Amino acid sequence: MNSHRYRQGPPVWAAVPAVVALAFLVLPLLALAGRADWTTFWSDISSQESLQSLWLSIWTAALSTIVCAVLGLPLAVFIAGLGPRWAAVLRAVTTIPLLLPPMVGGVALLYLLGRNGWLGRSFEAWGWQIPFTSGAVVVAESFVALPFLVIAAESAIRALDRELLDAAATMGASSWQTFRSVTVPIAGPAIAAGLTLTFARAMGEFGATALFAGNAQGVTRTMPLAIYTAFNGAGTTQAAAIAMSLVLFVVALAVLVAARAWRVDSVH
Amino acid sequence: MRARTTAVLAVAALVAAAALALSGCSASPAGTSTPSAADSGPTTSGRLTVYAAASLQTAFDEIAAAFTAANPDVTIDPIDYDGSSTLVTQIEGGAEVDVFASADQANMQKLVDAKLATGETPVFATNTLVVVVGKGNPLHLSSLKDLADPSVQTVLCAAGVPCGTAAHRLLDLAGVTLTPVSEEQNVTAVLTKVESGEADAGIVYSTDAKDAADKVDSFVPPASEVDVGKVVNQYPITVLDGAKHRDVAQAFIDFVTGSQGQSILADLGFGTRSN
């Protein structure tokens, strides 16, 4: 079925809009690169502020990815095991944060975990504080990135051959053993691709972080916030904003290459 | 059948999300449009786009209402309030704006240097800084030095944003070094963080503190520490060279610098041209 479609080639009517769509995606990035001031590029991206932001972005995104894996994979397995009705409900619940503007997530997190939030109030009493810490960045990033992972992993797990799982069960494997020896190896590449995208989403997070975590150099000012701050004429120069944007572009490319390497289409 | 319903719901959700995204993109609502000003009176009809510093929000909303009441043929689009530096970036990026009011001279100068505002830039108001704290001043803060205590969470505007530039000058004059827990892009964001209780203290304009007096307390740093009168923000206003309705824009500026505009500003606590 697929190979048949490929042999015919893409339909003619789609060619022009497709080229426009591609240009729409690619031209802005070329324009961004065109605006870069290459004479100051290295000093811009190797300034202490840029390096701090980059490092902060990398480790918070990595930690968020781990949080998403620890919480999201079990949720994906759980949803995949449900009947269609409950699976649809839980899938919708997971998808809502994805559809909301991340700013809304930031406000919501503040009302839950902020100093006067439902839970934040108790944390405060124990001397714990989340807003304005790097931990808040991880929380915000995990909140926006988790749905990506759950949806990617759940569809991969659901696509597993039911008979394989049943066979494992009849051979006496526990559900944890089945997960480890059947689910992970077969759905692994798709899950790894999902994790890579989760990392990218966490790295790009802006809205929830700005509202919930704040914007302090070295603590909560991740790359997107540093770019926003520099571009708006506060902090460093606009050239620095462009240079940092290009660094993120390179990171995105690297993520894409990594995600493709995982995918390999060996699943089928 | 169930799959169909799910698919329909999914499409509906996507459409709703797209609609949200699109509505978020357009800066001004597509509300009532006024007829073109071409064939009417000399200065009093048309449609104005005004960008103003965040600290001017209450003042300019009142002034705009008074101005349009006096000139019923003029429509002022909902004024865009943000940090002056953010607004300057947007104007440099090609935003079509008639009037720009900045909270300091440095940001206005950027537009003058970029040849985007070659006309007059009269100063129409001044402002000084105060410290805002939670209602009742729960931590009993009374000086800038108190804000430097690591257990006190202080929020400032980012350097480059007028309120941030001014706050840093004030702290320098007082010889106080502090690490803010967050640096915001406009003064409203600083105030919000203190109002909501997320931060203990913030440095904002005296007019912001006055405006939010029901939600926050404020104090002027003691004279023994620093003379706040040494850090005074001057608010310049200008008609941008790209203005579509130069005459109406100038009429609006004359209104701001005139007696009615000045009295609104004075009532809100701004320093005005007469005092």
Side-chain angles (χ1 to χ4, degrees), chain A residues 6 25 59 102 121 172 201:
Chain A
Y6 287 138
L25 292 174
W59 79 254
R121 212 172 328 196
R201 181 68 191 86

Side-chain angles (χ1 to χ4, degrees), chain A residues 84-85 88 99 101 110 114-117 129 131-132 210-211 213-217 220-221 228-229 231-235 238, chain B residues 2 6 13-14 17 20 82 85-86 89 92 110 153 155 158-161 180-185 193 196-200:
Chain A
R85 180 178 303 205
L99 297 177
L110 209 49
R115 267 182 168 181
N116 297 314
Q129 200 219 306
F132 305 129
L211 283 181
N215 186 355
Q217 188 185 339
T220 56
R221 185 174 295 162
Y228 176 72
T229 307
F231 188 74
N232 280 332
Q238 288 197 352
Chain B
R2 173 156 298 136
T6 316
L14 278 176
L20 273 175
D82 209 326
S85 47
T86 303
T89 304
E92 286 173 343
K110 288 193 226 162
Q153 308 217 332
V155 180
V161 183
V181 291
S182 186
E183 292 181 304
E184 303 298 330
Q185 296 296 314
K193 288 226 163 24
S196 66
E198 295 307 326
D200 299 313

Side-chain angles (χ1 to χ4, degrees), chain B residues 2-170:
Chain B
R2 173 156 298 136
R4 264 264 287 287
T5 319
T6 316
V8 169
L9 280 174
V11 169
L14 278 176
V15 169
L20 273 175
L22 283 176
S23 65
C25 288
S26 63
S28 58
T32 53
S33 68
T34 43
S36 155
D39 55 349
S40 35
T43 65
T44 49
S45 88
R47 180 176 199 131
L48 274 190
T49 305
V50 179
Y51 273 22
S55 49
L56 290 169
Q57 183 151 1
T58 308
F60 267 41
D61 279 350
E62 277 186 39
I63 289 176
F67 181 73
T68 46
N71 302 281
D73 288 340
V74 174
T75 311
I76 299 182
D77 282 331
I79 297 177
D80 208 329
Y81 298 104
D82 209 326
S84 302
S85 47
T86 303
L87 297 174
V88 165
T89 304
Q90 291 173 6
I91 293 169
E92 286 173 343
E96 289 191 355
V97 180
D98 298 303
V99 173
F100 171 58
S102 169
D104 71 1
Q105 299 274 22
N107 281 289
M108 183 61 86
Q109 191 59 41
K110 288 193 226 162
L111 293 182
V112 174
D113 291 344
K115 305 256 187 301
L116 292 167
T118 54
E120 290 184 1
T121 57
V123 171
F124 65 92
T126 61
N127 218 341
T128 53
L129 297 172
V130 296
V131 177
V132 280
V133 293
K135 199 76 192 153
N137 195 359
L139 299 182
H140 309 294
L141 307 171
S142 63
S143 68
L144 293 175
K145 213 168 114 243
D146 289 350
L147 306 190
D149 186 314
S151 70
V152 176
Q153 308 217 332
T154 305
V155 180
L156 301 179
C157 289
V161 183
C163 48
T165 309
H168 282 109
R169 272 181 58 206
L170 193 69

